[in-house]
Amino acid sequence: MDNAARRISYQGLISLAGMDELKNTALTNLPKRLATHHYNGSYHIHDLEAFGVAPNCLTIDFQRSFPTDKLRSKNTLQRLLGIFDYIRQAIVAIGGDQSGGIGFANFDEDIAWACDQLAISDSRRTRQILRACIDNFIEWINTTRSRYGLECYYVTLNIGLSQSPLGKYSAVCLLDCLQNAPAGYIRPNIVFKTKAELHFEKDARNRELFDSALTTTAVRMIPTYLLCDATPNIDIPPEQLAIMGCRTRVAANLHGHTTAIGRGNLAYVSINLVQIAWKATQNHPQTKRIADFLSRWRTLAKDAAEILLRRKQLLEKLPAQNFPGYCAIDPWMVPFADSERIDAWKHGTLSIGFVGLAESVDIMTQKKIGVDNDANILARRLVTAMRDEVDQLRSEHNCNFTLLATSAESTSGRFARIDWANHRIPAAHKGFYTNSFHIPVDVPLNPIHKMQTEGPFHTMCNGGGISYVELGGPPLGNLLALEDMIQAASSAGVSYFGVNFPKDICNNCGNQGVFDMCHSCDSTDVTHIRRVSGYLEATTSFTSGKLAEIAKRTAHARGGA
């Protein structure tokens, strides 16, 4: 399966069959030139089954779409329960109209705002009900696989900025409930927004909340951290920033104000840099390889843009009634349907992504990023040129094109398989390419050095990116080191940061640790939870490329390079 979160059911089998048919139809209807690049692994057209019929992801405009008037007629208990009923209804409705994730930009503050709109006072009883609602929501999001009959819903809750008592309490409850949930619960994705004056100082207003986030990360690998003081984010009001999905970033808007709220990514195409680099080295001296690489990139980027514009144009031709969930919830930043015309799509982004920067630099120079400074300089030069081309496309088409540091859900392994079969590219033999601009997973760097090397790419990749530190085990009892890494990442210009570590759960006795055989009961019935390209999942559902990456991962230690 392409998606590690999928579990097969009867309804799911029907959905998969339909998806395969839609993918084939989409490729058949494309001009042969554009489709051939996909077949040959020069680029990957994501979510082909949604081509021209659905967008990718969305951060809901909660306060614009919330049904305040409808809930005001209820009693206090019904109003509180109604807030979370609405959240679930919105997730199901939106999830039926798009192919990707659903984000809440300020989940904690939106809960407090809804309580204020509904005249719900901050009382002991209110807090008891809020905790129960959040606990039930976490259970629901982890156990409901109704999306296509295959998946749980991809939901990201951004928290950390609220100054109101009920908002801060909602965030604390979310973290506490996740900490105490069953070990196998790995949703929702939680993103903690950091601001130095709110979180980093000992007497900061939200310091205790930040400490709770660190404790939860040390156990669960979530939350991850949206660093609002980092260079790419510093000039944007933090409440307008959000992560949706595993890294998607929506901010600047040619057709409105800068915000993630009520906006989403319509579609994306990821370019295989390794194949470009390999072709650029054939029959070219060292002095001409970079120029040839960039020429090939620009050609593929223009073709990718043509595909993305076709998708947007097809969406623009559809009637609003094709999106019953959007019409019911109205979650975009503008009214979704203006008479018979959909006005929301112009606010969405179209992203051109990339995979395998590290392998590309190695092929062209025989030097490794993260280890050799000349390699680092070349890597930044290449991505700067990519961003310049995407900005040119943005200006030329008056459309929100962005450069995405692709998460490579299945793309990294697919590219490697194609390139090994067709070209015998040595870098493909390991079964996967390195995610986006990341330093290869088997380079044992010092975490601070890793952040300093990857940080500049975050400003270039305005469509989203993430930097991880790989740990040998959960950092329990060492929260200060975790905080140091977060602050170092922010100082280095990293927009979005997370930590990974192996997490194994014995299905017989519930013991947790890092093992293939349980140390407590000797059972080998063990669930291995890992994060590769964004979401936490059990490794039993991973693609071959993901499994190959896990096998090569090396922990980033303070004593590293």
Side-chain angles (χ1 to χ4, degrees):
M1 288 185 291
D2 288 344
N3 189 322
R6 287 176 178 165
R7 305 294 183 269
I8 297 299
S9 66
Y10 164 66
Q11 184 182 6
L13 285 171
I14 296 173
S15 296
L16 285 174
M19 288 180 186
D20 288 343
E21 181 65 24
L22 288 170
K23 289 178 181 180
N24 291 333
T25 299
L27 286 170
T28 301
N29 289 338
L30 279 175
K32 186 176 180 180
R33 167 180 56 88
L34 300 178
T36 298
H37 288 320
H38 178 86
Y39 288 124
N40 292 344
S42 298
Y43 54 49
H44 182 83
I45 307 170
H46 294 268
D47 299 333
L48 267 166
E49 70 278 4
F51 199 107
V53 296
N56 178 21
C57 55
L58 173 71
T59 293
I60 182 174
D61 191 337
F62 182 92
Q63 295 187 15
R64 202 184 73 79
S65 61
F66 186 72
T68 304
D69 293 339
K70 178 181 177 181
L71 290 176
R72 275 182 179 150
S73 62
K74 311 292 184 180
N75 62 42
T76 301
L77 174 60
Q78 290 172 327
R79 291 177 188 179
L80 268 171
L81 296 177
I83 294 172
F84 286 85
D85 284 343
Y86 169 71
I87 291 170
R88 283 189 289 268
Q89 290 166 9
I91 290 168
V92 173
I94 295 169
D97 280 0
Q98 62 184 40
S99 61
I102 302 162
F104 291 76
N106 301 286
F107 179 78
D108 44 0
E109 182 58 27
D110 284 341
I111 296 298
W113 174 88
C115 288
D116 182 65
Q117 294 295 302
L118 298 174
I120 298 172
S121 62
D122 181 5
S123 65
R124 181 179 178 183
R125 178 61 173 159
T126 295
R127 294 190 173 210
Q128 287 176 334
I129 298 169
L130 263 179
R131 178 174 285 271
C133 287
I134 290 172
D135 197 36
N136 288 338
F137 175 76
I138 289 175
E139 180 178 9
W140 177 80
I141 205 67
N142 278 279
T143 58
T144 301
R145 289 193 177 273
S146 59
R147 192 164 189 252
Y148 314 134
L150 294 168
E151 303 169 0
C152 293
Y153 292 96
Y154 292 108
V155 176
T156 298
L157 309 180
N158 295 259
I159 63 170
L161 299 179
S162 180
Q163 295 295 290
S164 64
L166 279 180
K168 292 167 76 170
Y169 182 75
S170 297
V172 167
C173 283
L174 182 64
L175 296 168
D176 285 351
C177 289
L178 186 62
Q179 280 190 52
N180 296 312
Y185 280 19
I186 52 179
R187 294 177 181 81
N189 186 33
I190 300 173
V191 174
F192 193 94
K193 301 185 190 181
T194 65
K195 287 288 292 180
E197 66 269 22
L198 276 181
H199 304 113
F200 293 159
E201 300 299 327
K202 288 186 178 179
D203 58 351
R205 286 167 289 174
N206 283 20
R207 177 69 213 196
E208 289 186 6
L209 181 59
F210 180 52
D211 288 339
S212 181
L214 294 174
T215 301
T216 307
T217 298
V219 176
R220 297 279 183 169
M221 284 182 272
I222 46 179
T224 44
Y225 295 85
L226 176 53
L227 310 176
C228 299
D229 293 315
T231 302
N233 302 325
I234 189 65
D235 294 326
I236 302 174
E239 65 274 8
Q240 301 300 326
L241 290 165
I243 296 297
M244 112 193 66
C246 63
R247 71 191 59 195
T248 306
R249 184 179 191 270
V250 174
N253 184 7
L254 288 170
H255 307 290
H257 64 282
T258 296
T259 186
I261 299 173
R263 300 177 62 210
N265 176 255
L266 301 185
Y268 63 115
V269 175
S270 293
I271 295 176
N272 181 356
L273 300 188
V274 185
Q275 193 179 108
I276 296 177
W278 180 255
K279 291 178 179 179
T281 61
Q282 306 304 298
N283 303 315
H284 277 305
Q286 187 84 27
T287 54
K288 293 186 177 180
R289 290 176 181 178
I290 295 171
D292 188 72
F293 178 98
L294 292 176
S295 175
R296 292 176 184 274
W297 154 267
R298 292 187 185 101
T299 297
L300 285 173
K302 286 180 170 61
D303 286 346
E306 184 177 340
I307 289 170
L308 293 169
L309 289 169
R310 283 173 176 267
R311 294 184 79 150
K312 179 173 178 287
Q313 290 160 4
L314 287 171
L315 285 175
E316 289 170 340
K317 293 178 181 178
L318 295 175
Q321 66 190 30
N322 280 36
F323 304 91
Y326 284 163
C327 288
I329 302 300
D330 206 15
W332 285 75
M333 68 184 299
V334 295
F336 181 71
D338 180 7
S339 183
E340 292 300 313
R341 188 173 69 89
I342 297 171
D343 196 41
W345 305 134
K346 67 182 180 183
H347 299 285
T349 60
L350 298 172
S351 296
I352 299 175
F354 62 93
V355 172
L357 179 67
E359 288 86 354
S360 300
V361 171
D362 195 357
I363 287 170
M364 291 194 292
T365 66
Q366 291 75 56
K367 296 178 180 179
K368 298 185 182 298
I369 64 171
V371 177
D372 184 277
N373 190 51
D374 288 340
N376 295 339
I377 292 171
L378 175 57
R380 291 194 290 270
R381 177 182 172 185
L382 295 178
V383 179
T384 298
M386 294 180 208
R387 172 63 184 274
D388 288 344
E389 178 63 29
V390 171
D391 284 351
Q392 177 62 35
L393 292 167
R394 183 184 183 91
S395 175
E396 179 182 343
H397 297 286
N398 194 32
C399 186
N400 288 311
F401 278 104
T402 58
L403 181 65
L404 172 67
T406 297
S407 57
E409 167 77 4
S410 63
T411 311
S412 171
R414 177 178 180 266
F415 282 162
R417 288 193 302 272
I418 293 172
D419 285 351
W420 181 251
N422 293 347
H423 308 290
R424 281 299 189 264
I425 298 177
H429 188 253
K430 65 181 183 290
F432 69 97
Y433 292 150
T434 299
N435 198 322
S436 61
F437 55 69
H438 289 176
I439 294 167
V441 296
D442 57 353
V443 176
L445 281 184
N446 177 290
I448 306 303
H449 185 184
K450 186 175 191 291
M451 294 302 103
Q452 290 171 343
T453 303
E454 294 186 358
F457 296 107
H458 284 257
T459 298
M460 303 174 201
C461 297
N462 58 341
I466 189 169
S467 286
Y468 289 114
V469 167
E470 187 75 24
L471 305 178
L476 300 169
N478 200 8
L479 300 185
L480 182 59
L482 179 57
E483 180 178 350
D484 286 347
M485 285 187 280
I486 292 170
Q487 294 200 37
S490 182
S491 297
V494 171
S495 173
Y496 184 36
F497 173 81
V499 295
N500 291 331
F501 50 82
K503 181 182 178 70
D504 300 327
I505 305 166
C506 176
N507 297 319
N508 184 50
C509 72
N511 184 37
Q512 298 182 51
V514 182
F515 47 76
D516 291 318
M517 176 183 287
C518 179
H519 307 313
S520 296
C521 70
D522 295 333
S523 173
T524 56
D525 183 12
V526 176
T527 295
H528 305 283
I529 293 175
R530 302 291 187 270
R531 175 161 46 208
V532 180
S533 70
Y535 292 102
L536 293 170
E537 292 294 346
T539 60
T540 50
S541 300
F542 276 8
T543 60
S544 59
K546 283 189 169 188
L547 292 172
E549 178 178 331
I550 288 172
K552 283 190 168 290
R553 282 186 171 182
T554 300
H556 299 117
R558 285 182 176 271

